[in-house]
Amino acid sequence: EAQVTQNPRYLITVTGKKLTVTCSQNMNHEYMSWYRQDPGLGLRQIYYSMNVEVTDKGDVPEGYKVSRKEKRNFPLILESPSPNQTSLYFCASSWNREIPYEQYFGPGTRLTVT
Amino acid sequence: AQKVTQAQTEISVVEKEDVTLDCVYETRDTTYYLFWYKQPPSGELVFLIRRNSFDEQNEISGRYSWNFQKSTSSFNFTITASQVVDSAVYFCALILTGNQFYFGTGTSLTVIP
């Protein structure tokens, strides 16, 4: 089954404790992206990657890191989480051709930073 | 500056009514793409439609239709004869060259039986 998986689905942590949210897709998509969803703000893009070893900042990259060492994986790293990073996070992937294709979204990771 | 505006935060309609969700975008690029996504109460995001800036034809898919007007920078979404299953948050998104996505803040639609 074609899918994007994220782990963990729920996470409660404390300020300053480094964490990683994993994202993996099995569709051989070149493009992957991370979003955060907050009430009243919609989805905001954090980082995206057009292909292996190619990453770019989205609208709200501060406080986040990503890496793309393999095509299928695109982990999101919070080196020192803060309460304002409490949010619902989505990973997505799509083909990367000359036009943007529909993105397949993961199920979401609800992160709470206390 | 906000690139995608969905001014309607919440809409409630009675089942079988028609409803239009507004989306206004802002860009100086001549090549861009517009998407609509649906987020039902279960939380997943479901792709509905993609439109490029050179194709102003309206599109109909069952009870769903989209009206793209470059002159007003709008890409509105109409649901005809709404059903309870249409209750969801709907997001409009603008994609510029480079594949950076800009989502609107979403419109929460409630269809009352």
Side-chain angles (χ1 to χ4, degrees):
Chain A
E1 180 192 353
Q3 60 183 352
V4 178
T5 56
Q6 296 178 226
N7 282 292
R9 294 289 312 280
Y10 302 91
L11 179 60
I12 300 174
T13 189
V14 296
T15 299
K17 186 176 181 183
K18 181 179 178 180
L19 67 92
T20 299
V21 183
T22 64
C23 172
S24 183
Q25 50 93 6
N26 62 1
M27 295 167 278
N28 203 35
H29 285 162
E30 297 93 352
Y31 184 90
M32 296 187 75
S33 182
W34 276 103
Y35 298 88
R36 59 178 290 174
Q37 183 177 8
D38 302 289
L41 296 177
L43 284 96
R44 292 178 293 167
Q45 195 170 37
I46 303 171
Y47 270 95
Y48 61 99
S49 169
M50 305 279 268
N51 214 324
V52 176
E53 302 291 2
V54 180
T55 61
D56 281 292
K57 295 179 181 179
D59 241 4
V60 289
E62 294 79 19
Y64 304 94
K65 281 176 58 177
V66 292
S67 69
R68 187 90 182 275
K69 293 183 170 53
E70 305 166 280
K71 201 172 189 179
R72 63 183 291 124
N73 297 323
F74 190 44
L76 179 69
I77 303 157
L78 284 73
E79 296 268 2
S80 182
S82 61
N84 64 14
Q85 292 178 299
T86 292
S87 187
L88 177 60
Y89 291 86
F90 285 99
C91 179
S93 73
S94 72
W95 296 113
N96 179 28
R97 302 285 189 263
E98 59 278 3
I99 61 173
Y101 278 74
E102 63 168 289
Q103 292 191 45
Y104 291 79
F105 282 82
T109 294
R110 187 165 293 281
L111 171 66
T112 302
V113 183
T114 60
Chain B
Q2 192 161 14
K3 294 188 183 299
V4 179
T5 301
Q6 294 181 257
Q8 304 150 307
T9 306
E10 296 181 359
I11 300 176
S12 290
V13 299
V14 176
E15 202 170 21
K16 296 184 184 173
E17 285 184 349
D18 299 348
V19 57
T20 295
L21 310 183
D22 297 333
C23 173
V24 175
Y25 62 92
E26 175 190 332
T27 180
R28 293 182 181 178
D29 291 10
T30 54
T31 302
Y32 53 89
Y33 296 82
L34 296 158
F35 284 51
W36 274 94
Y37 277 87
K38 174 183 179 179
Q39 187 177 41
S42 50
E44 75 272 22
L45 284 143
V46 179
F47 168 79
L48 295 177
I49 191 172
R50 176 188 66 205
R51 171 68 72 228
N52 74 58
S53 54
F54 299 107
D55 182 2
E56 288 195 71
Q57 268 194 319
N58 291 332
E59 180 151 343
I60 298 174
S61 176
R63 295 184 298 107
Y64 294 172
S65 63
W66 290 269
N67 183 314
F68 176 32
Q69 291 197 335
K70 283 178 77 170
S71 60
T72 56
S73 296
S74 65
F75 187 43
N76 297 336
F77 173 33
T78 297
I79 302 174
T80 303
S82 59
Q83 300 176 0
V84 172
V85 293
D86 296 326
S87 296
V89 180
Y90 291 87
F91 291 99
C92 179
L94 169 69
I95 300 85
L96 305 177
T97 53
N99 269 314
Q100 188 162 357
F101 275 67
Y102 298 93
F103 280 82
T105 52
T107 296
S108 177
L109 173 65
T110 301
V111 180
I112 304 163

